[in-house]
Amino acid sequence: MSSSRSRRGAAGQPAADMAEIARADSEINSCTPVGLPATARVLFAVVDANGTLIRGLGATSATRLATGMYQVGFDQDIVGAAYIGTVGLIAPGGLAPQGAITVAPRTGIPNAVFVETYAASGHTDRPFHLAVLA
């Protein structure tokens, strides 16, 4: 069942017409997990710039390896997973510092992700959010 709130439209977006709404509603129940095992999980970690694991789901550890380089451990093998990272605050309020982030499987550790954070000047410590679709 779709939300009437989503049909109001947001500032700057055109309102959806009835045909678009009907199509979107019909797709809600038709989605199938292509290629995902029955045990698929969404894991996440919120990590401070100093490498402290602030909170997470399935996250077991975070370590600052060097300036702007981190390792985040999880409670399962995530070699075949997808990784999504963003520079982000560890608490509500304000805006995250500007920066970029890259994420990759951790070489030699099947349950960890390697994270690098950057500013315009190069590697810089930044707080970040990491999602793992395993």
Side-chain angles (χ1 to χ4, degrees):
M1 183 166 144
S2 65
S3 164
S4 62
R5 181 174 180 214
S6 66
R7 293 180 180 163
R8 284 188 218 145
Q13 292 186 12
D17 66 28
M18 293 307 291
E20 290 175 283
I21 293 168
R23 183 181 51 78
D25 284 348
S26 71
E27 292 172 349
I28 290 173
N29 294 323
S30 67
C31 295
T32 57
V34 178
L36 293 176
T39 57
R41 291 174 68 194
V42 175
L43 311 170
F44 80 89
V46 175
V47 178
D48 201 353
N50 65 10
T52 302
L53 177 62
I54 302 300
R55 63 185 175 277
L57 177 63
T60 57
S61 64
T63 306
R64 180 181 173 272
L65 303 172
T67 301
M69 296 183 186
Y70 306 88
Q71 173 180 300
V72 181
F74 290 92
D75 64 0
Q76 70 183 66
D77 184 320
I78 54 173
V79 170
Y83 316 101
I84 304 163
T86 187
V87 173
L89 298 176
I90 62 168
L95 296 172
Q98 286 188 332
I101 187 169
T102 59
V103 295
R106 181 70 166 119
T107 302
I109 305 175
N111 65 317
V113 177
F114 179 68
V115 177
E116 291 181 298
T117 58
Y118 303 89
S121 59
H123 281 102
T124 302
D125 292 336
R126 293 282 190 251
F128 61 90
H129 297 205
L130 174 65
V132 177
L133 311 173

